[in-house]
Amino acid sequence: MIQVFSDSFSQFSIGPFPYDPKHSAIGEYHYWPVQGFKGGWHDPIVYYGWLGPSWIVTEDEGRKFMEQTRPQVAITDHWPLMVAGDTSWRDYRFTASVRPLSTASHVGIVFRYTHGRRYYFLGFEGGQLRLLKRDQEDIVELAAVPFPCDCDRHYVLGIDCIGDSLRASVDGKPVLEMRDGSYLGGKVGLSARMPAQFTDVSVEMNKAAHAAWIKQRDGAAIDLAAERALYPQPRLWKTIDLKNFGSGRQIRFGHLTRGDTMHIVLAQHQKRGYKDAYAHISCLTAIDLDGKVLWQRGEPSNEPDHAIVSCDMPLQLYDIDGDGADEVIVARDFKLMILDGATGAVRRSIPTPLSTAADSSLWSLPHKKHAFDRVNVDAIRIANFRGLPEPRDILIKDRYSRLWAYDDQLNLLWHFHEGITGHFPYTADVNGDGRDETFVGYHLVDANGKLLWTLPVPTDHTDEILIGRWNPEVRAQQIGIASGDEGFMIASLEGEILKKHMIGHVQRISVGNYRPDLPGLEISVTTYWGYQGIIYLFDCKGELLDAFEPTSNGHLITPVNWSGDGHDLRLLNGNVKDGGLVDGHGRVVVQFPDDGHPELCAEVIDLTGDARDEIVLWDTQRMYIYTQDRPATVAEVSQPLKYPHYNASNYRGEFHYPADGGLPAGQPRK
């Protein structure tokens, strides 16, 4: 046998396995890695309600253990996991020494692991040795035999998986055997729903299996190198010093002066009251793409807490008066304002609405009491409720209960208060009358602010929303929803749920031509809370195509028009190792250079004007902008319809729709 992996955790110092002690929504759209030595292991299960680490390294008589610390009552329905290895591993023997510190629930090993919701489990529970198969919410017992265990000794659990043959052993003695070919390859891991200790992990392959794996691995590397050669490489185009006005992912792009020149407005903030519930803009800085400051409102700060926030800021850049230059529409200091884009001067201002609703009718209210007389605006969206030739209306929301719509003179059009709004509403003319409807929370609201219908969804809220047409067989538009713990849904414009996948806490959603060989457009979603960082791809009908689990957070999955040939890639994040652009098969086909660039934030936008996208990477101090290292190789560069820059949000779904309104028929990529 050839050993391909082993660990007795001797290289670890005693203490917690690296974790995020302030786990928050920051990692939903920032690259926010935990720091510390991981030794090739990954903890994919993270939850905001857990205090302290799930896993710690302990020692006894010179022997070290990876110890799961949480009892089942604390983790509810989650299965803590510690994972290592490679998804390309196929046939192997996996053994680990396991000591249950409590026998009240399961403890054991996982194998042929694809992601945190798809694997086999072998372990002790209820006086039995159980072999389970997990696929999302479905956990199926494949086999079980009586096997009482106690908390005072270590057991060597072993599994030999060769093809569809699964043979389990305890302390080297065969215990059960069966066949199941559902999963034929994957990583290995440790799992326990009560405190338990693990050590002496070993993965071995016989000579034939090892040779087959090496051949497959090397062949895949050659194929990946060939695929990467088809794409332009990132070339550094500009760097910008953000001095003391830098921000996290709270920046906006627009044309603040007449012409095609692009500008950036960066928002810093201060937190009021409870955490991020009442964050308000403390400073706005407008710059050009060379970093020259056009104007500034407020006092900039080097305080990191003024740059990083786990919510949107109420800020958009849009030509609200049709004069050819974008204005700055912003809520600051309990005022809704329209600022001159070129100077920052106030053109128009009104107070934000008084908060007259009963506190009991407001969702996620800290301490169950609204803190201010006036509304602290959470987000702004530009819409067209009056049926004008161009959008001229302003939609504002609080966090997370109410909407107010205003015209371009800041006159109130309507107010809506029904249930929970979620993060960022979606507006579109879905009935063809020239006026926008609003999908907010699980409600469709007409152009006058009247409720039309509500989806029958019992819990949680909408994290991101898309409305569009992606299936060539369906003429009508549909609604794609990243619905948190309610999973991923596709609904009709009549309020019928057409597809629903319970695949973890779905956080982000995007649509693009990720698989040009397939008809229509594909839908990608990613998870965050709980089973974190799984990236899924669905076809135009909402059927699962692929899923993989990078070992980091901050995956934006934004579609990228990188080559200009109509084949979209997805942006993960800006990290050299964990980030890059992935294709429709989950392969990182474009990597960022190891040039010391910032990695905290990323955005996709065409800044050079050739229709292909640039990638903007920044942190609170620096900004790097990357473009392609070569001209487009196609005669006519694809120009997909994209989410307009004037409706920026950290909680918007992203899309690339064909500019001609048609959908691709599907053909092999040349």
Side-chain angles (χ1 to χ4, degrees):
M1 299 289 284
I2 300 172
Q3 190 172 65
V4 296
F5 181 80
S6 66
D7 203 342
S8 296
F9 308 109
S10 60
Q11 298 182 62
F12 285 81
S13 299
I14 63 169
F17 185 83
Y19 75 107
D20 182 1
K22 297 181 179 180
H23 187 62
S24 71
I26 295 297
E28 292 174 353
Y29 47 87
H30 295 86
Y31 180 65
W32 197 258
V34 296
Q35 303 299 318
F37 177 70
K38 301 176 187 176
W41 292 89
H42 170 56
D43 177 2
I45 313 300
V46 188
Y47 195 65
Y48 72 91
W50 295 351
L51 299 178
S54 296
W55 297 86
I56 61 174
V57 177
T58 58
E59 180 272 339
D60 182 57
E61 300 293 338
R63 194 180 186 195
K64 289 190 174 178
F65 307 93
M66 185 66 72
E67 182 175 318
Q68 201 289 111
T69 67
R70 301 188 193 282
Q72 184 169 337
V73 67
I75 60 177
T76 60
D77 61 341
H78 294 90
W79 287 42
L81 292 162
M82 182 65 66
V83 182
D86 197 300
T87 54
S88 67
W89 288 353
R90 184 177 172 92
D91 297 334
Y92 53 78
R93 172 183 295 165
F94 172 35
T95 60
S97 177
V98 178
R99 179 189 176 188
L101 298 179
S102 167
T103 57
S105 188
H106 89 242
V107 53
I109 58 177
V110 302
F111 59 99
R112 288 186 168 173
Y113 172 103
T114 303
H115 54 69
R117 299 172 63 84
R118 190 175 191 270
Y119 52 80
Y120 293 108
F121 167 84
L122 174 70
F124 304 116
E125 184 177 21
Q128 294 181 313
L129 181 71
R130 304 181 69 198
L131 178 61
L132 309 177
K133 178 178 66 177
R134 175 164 193 171
D135 186 8
Q136 300 297 345
E137 301 288 287
D138 296 328
I139 300 173
V140 178
E141 182 177 271
L142 300 178
V145 294
F147 200 107
C149 65
D150 62 57
C151 65
D152 296 322
R153 59 161 294 195
H154 295 268
Y155 301 85
V156 178
L157 278 178
I159 187 75
D160 284 81
C161 43
I162 306 295
D164 66 352
S165 172
L166 307 176
R167 293 177 293 165
S169 63
V170 179
D171 295 332
K173 299 178 181 179
V175 178
L176 62 84
E177 180 175 353
M178 61 93 58
R179 291 186 176 275
D180 187 90
S182 302
Y183 312 147
L184 294 177
K187 299 181 180 182
V188 299
L190 317 172
S191 181
R193 287 171 59 80
M194 292 297 289
Q197 292 178 336
F198 302 84
T199 193
D200 297 338
V201 175
S202 175
V203 179
E204 298 175 309
M205 298 179 183
N206 63 39
K207 289 184 179 181
H210 185 263
W213 172 59
I214 293 296
K215 181 178 179 181
Q216 186 276 333
R217 183 195 65 182
D218 293 349
I222 293 170
D223 291 344
L224 180 57
E227 190 69 18
R228 286 175 174 172
L230 299 176
Y231 294 91
Q233 297 303 303
R235 175 178 64 85
L236 185 60
W237 182 54
K238 287 182 181 290
T239 63
I240 300 175
D241 181 1
L242 299 180
K243 301 180 177 65
N244 63 346
F245 52 78
S247 179
R249 207 166 180 271
Q250 301 292 345
I251 71 173
R252 303 291 187 263
F253 295 88
H255 303 283
L256 298 182
T257 58
R258 289 177 177 84
D260 295 330
T261 302
M262 187 70 80
H263 299 89
I264 304 172
V265 175
L266 301 95
Q268 292 184 339
H269 72 280
Q270 288 179 284
K271 298 173 176 64
R272 287 169 162 156
Y274 182 79
K275 296 183 178 180
D276 296 340
Y278 301 109
H280 80 108
I281 292 174
S282 57
C283 182
L284 291 177
T285 305
I287 63 174
D288 64 18
L289 294 184
D290 293 317
K292 178 184 176 182
V293 176
L294 276 67
W295 52 264
Q296 194 169 69
R297 293 187 66 90
E299 181 176 327
S301 170
N302 283 318
E303 172 61 44
D305 197 46
H306 293 170
I308 309 298
V309 67
S310 66
C311 59
D312 268 340
M313 287 284 101
L315 169 68
Q316 301 293 359
L317 310 188
Y318 180 64
D319 185 7
I320 196 74
D321 60 5
D323 68 350
D326 286 344
E327 285 69 52
V328 178
I329 296 94
V330 61
R332 182 170 184 253
D333 194 28
F334 303 103
K335 295 187 289 290
L336 177 61
M337 299 182 287
I338 299 175
L339 309 181
D340 184 276
T343 67
V346 178
R347 289 190 179 180
R348 197 173 297 276
S349 175
I350 61 169
T352 61
L354 289 167
S355 184
T356 57
D359 291 337
S360 59
S361 70
L362 304 180
W363 290 81
S364 301
L365 200 61
H367 316 298
K368 299 182 180 181
K369 179 70 178 176
H370 196 273
F372 304 100
D373 281 1
R374 292 198 178 274
V375 168
N376 189 84
V377 179
D378 176 68
I380 293 175
R381 185 181 178 96
I382 306 302
N384 188 359
F385 298 123
R386 292 176 290 162
L388 302 178
E390 299 292 336
R392 290 283 186 272
D393 302 319
I394 301 168
L395 185 66
I396 70 172
K397 65 178 286 288
D398 67 357
R399 187 174 177 174
Y400 299 97
S401 301
R402 297 166 288 183
L403 301 178
W404 293 263
Y406 295 87
D407 66 16
D408 52 344
Q409 303 300 305
L410 302 186
N411 298 306
L412 181 66
L413 298 174
W414 50 262
H415 168 55
F416 179 79
H417 182 188
E418 180 79 28
I420 186 168
T421 62
H423 290 285
F424 194 63
Y426 195 102
T427 55
D429 178 15
V430 300
N431 62 6
D433 67 352
R435 306 169 70 199
D436 282 347
E437 285 70 45
T438 303
F439 189 76
V440 55
Y442 295 111
H443 312 297
L444 187 67
V445 179
D446 73 11
N448 298 312
K450 303 301 182 183
L451 178 65
L452 296 174
W453 51 255
T454 300
L455 288 177
V457 182
T459 66
D460 220 327
H461 60 268
T462 51
D463 278 309
E464 293 190 351
I465 304 162
L466 287 177
I467 297 179
R469 182 170 174 262
W470 39 78
N471 184 354
E473 297 179 7
V474 178
R475 296 187 61 84
Q477 295 187 96
Q478 296 177 331
I479 309 172
I481 315 168
S483 298
D485 289 342
E486 288 287 341
F488 161 56
M489 290 185 287
I490 297 176
S492 72
L493 294 179
E494 291 72 43
E496 178 188 3
I497 296 176
L498 306 173
K499 289 282 184 180
K500 184 169 184 176
H501 296 275
M502 297 297 287
I503 53 176
H505 185 106
V506 177
Q507 188 65 46
R508 304 193 69 93
I509 182 172
S510 71
V511 169
N513 192 17
Y514 300 130
R515 288 282 302 273
D517 56 312
L518 300 179
L521 303 176
E522 289 71 50
I523 307 164
S524 185
V525 303
T526 186
T527 62
Y528 189 65
W529 304 103
Y531 299 91
Q532 177 174 278
I534 307 171
I535 297 176
Y536 297 92
L537 188 68
F538 296 87
D539 69 12
C540 64
K541 298 179 180 181
E543 301 298 331
L544 181 63
L545 293 171
D546 183 43
F548 65 102
E549 182 184 82
T551 57
S552 72
N553 57 23
H555 305 308
L556 300 179
I557 62 169
T558 307
V560 184
N561 181 22
W562 185 249
S563 298
D565 61 358
H567 176 197
D568 295 318
L569 303 177
R570 288 168 288 173
L571 171 64
L572 297 183
N573 57 66
N575 182 259
V576 175
K577 175 179 174 291
D578 295 327
L581 309 183
V582 298
D583 67 5
H585 300 280
R587 301 172 296 189
V588 180
V589 294
V590 177
Q591 296 177 294
F592 292 109
D594 189 5
D595 58 1
H597 63 260
E599 300 176 337
L600 177 68
C601 306
E603 187 59 281
V604 177
I605 187 169
D606 174 22
L607 294 175
T608 65
D610 72 348
R612 295 183 298 173
D613 288 323
E614 277 64 56
I615 309 294
V616 185
L617 304 179
W618 75 97
D619 58 20
T620 60
Q621 298 175 320
R622 305 167 301 151
M623 177 177 288
Y624 281 41
I625 304 175
Y626 292 92
T627 190
Q628 294 80 8
D629 68 349
R630 68 198 74 165
T633 58
V634 292
E636 185 175 349
V637 174
S638 173
Q639 292 186 270
L641 296 176
K642 302 166 69 71
Y643 216 122
H645 68 79
Y646 58 75
N647 274 329
S649 170
N650 290 315
Y651 293 95
R652 71 179 197 183
E654 301 285 357
F655 60 79
H656 278 185
Y657 297 141
D660 62 5
L663 292 174
Q667 58 185 355
R669 182 168 179 260
K670 297 180 181 178

